[in-house]
Amino acid sequence: MRKKYLIGLAITLTVVCIILIFLNNPRIVIYMNWKVYLPKPQERNVIYRFQYREGADLEIWQYAEKDIKKITNKEIFKNIGEQNKEFIQQKLKEYYEVLNDTNKQLFNDNVNILSLLEESNYFAYINKENDTKTWLLLIINTKTNELYYFSNVY
């Protein structure tokens, strides 16, 4: 009886650990919440993450050029141009305003807005229906093959 209990406990703990690892992967979270599949990056630089998955997250993902081309070919990604620069700037401003001082400094140290708004780049913006405070902004810098992941969840 005790052996069955221990085996059941071990299986349960294993499943819980797998679920926690699975849900801590931002690629999975992006797919589950926003229905956008992104390939695994070569490198992932977490600038900051808000605890309990509510708040502002910033990550920079490095990709191979072939993967960047696959991502930018997705229908959801649009070229950055004069028609959408103001919108992207406004979203980045909203995002920046909710950051604490430490995260503002990290943002300033890691994000060059002018280079992100170059017309050779791409972006995707998705928000939750009827919710202006919960959104995802992905910006691809085609010169550096980086994807900037801005998540605003409240």
Side-chain angles (χ1 to χ4, degrees), residues 8-20:
L9 181 62
I11 291 171
T12 302
L13 288 174
T14 302
V15 169
V16 167
C17 287
I18 290 170
I19 289 171
L20 289 175

Side-chain angles (χ1 to χ4, degrees), residues 5-62:
Y5 172 77
L6 291 175
I7 290 172
L9 181 62
I11 291 171
T12 302
L13 288 174
T14 302
V15 169
V16 167
C17 287
I18 290 170
I19 289 171
L20 289 175
I21 290 168
F22 184 76
L23 291 178
N24 197 34
N25 183 332
R27 290 176 46 238
I28 303 299
V29 172
I30 289 171
Y31 183 75
M32 288 173 48
N33 291 334
W34 310 100
K35 305 301 182 244
V36 176
Y37 174 76
L38 297 169
K40 183 178 180 180
Q42 291 177 327
E43 186 179 322
R44 186 174 147 228
N45 185 8
V46 178
I47 308 304
Y48 49 80
R49 292 192 78 160
F50 199 86
Q51 294 178 346
Y52 310 113
R53 304 297 309 145
E54 185 174 284
D57 293 342
L58 172 58
E59 296 188 20
I60 302 170
W61 300 353
Q62 184 70 47

Side-chain angles (χ1 to χ4, degrees), residues 11 25 31 40 45 50 55 62 77 89 92 94 99 102 111 131 135:
I11 291 171
N25 183 332
Y31 183 75
K40 183 178 180 180
N45 185 8
F50 199 86
Q62 184 70 47
F77 282 91
Q89 284 177 312
L92 289 172
E94 287 174 24
L99 299 176
T102 302
V111 177
D131 184 355
W135 49 264

Side-chain angles (χ1 to χ4, degrees), residues 40-109:
K40 183 178 180 180
Q42 291 177 327
E43 186 179 322
R44 186 174 147 228
N45 185 8
V46 178
I47 308 304
Y48 49 80
R49 292 192 78 160
F50 199 86
Q51 294 178 346
Y52 310 113
R53 304 297 309 145
E54 185 174 284
D57 293 342
L58 172 58
E59 296 188 20
I60 302 170
W61 300 353
Q62 184 70 47
Y63 281 98
E65 188 174 348
K66 66 180 175 66
D67 289 330
I68 285 291
K69 287 181 180 178
K70 286 179 190 175
I71 296 169
T72 57
N73 284 333
K74 293 180 182 288
E75 190 175 315
I76 192 166
F77 282 91
K78 309 290 183 229
N79 271 96
I80 293 178
E82 290 304 318
Q83 72 278 11
N84 50 37
K85 277 186 184 180
E86 190 175 319
F87 173 78
I88 297 168
Q89 284 177 312
Q90 180 60 36
K91 286 297 162 192
L92 289 172
K93 182 181 176 189
E94 287 174 24
Y95 177 87
Y96 187 81
E97 288 174 353
V98 300
L99 299 176
N100 62 35
D101 290 339
T102 302
N103 288 349
K104 282 182 180 177
Q105 187 59 51
L106 288 167
F107 181 98
N108 293 337
D109 292 344

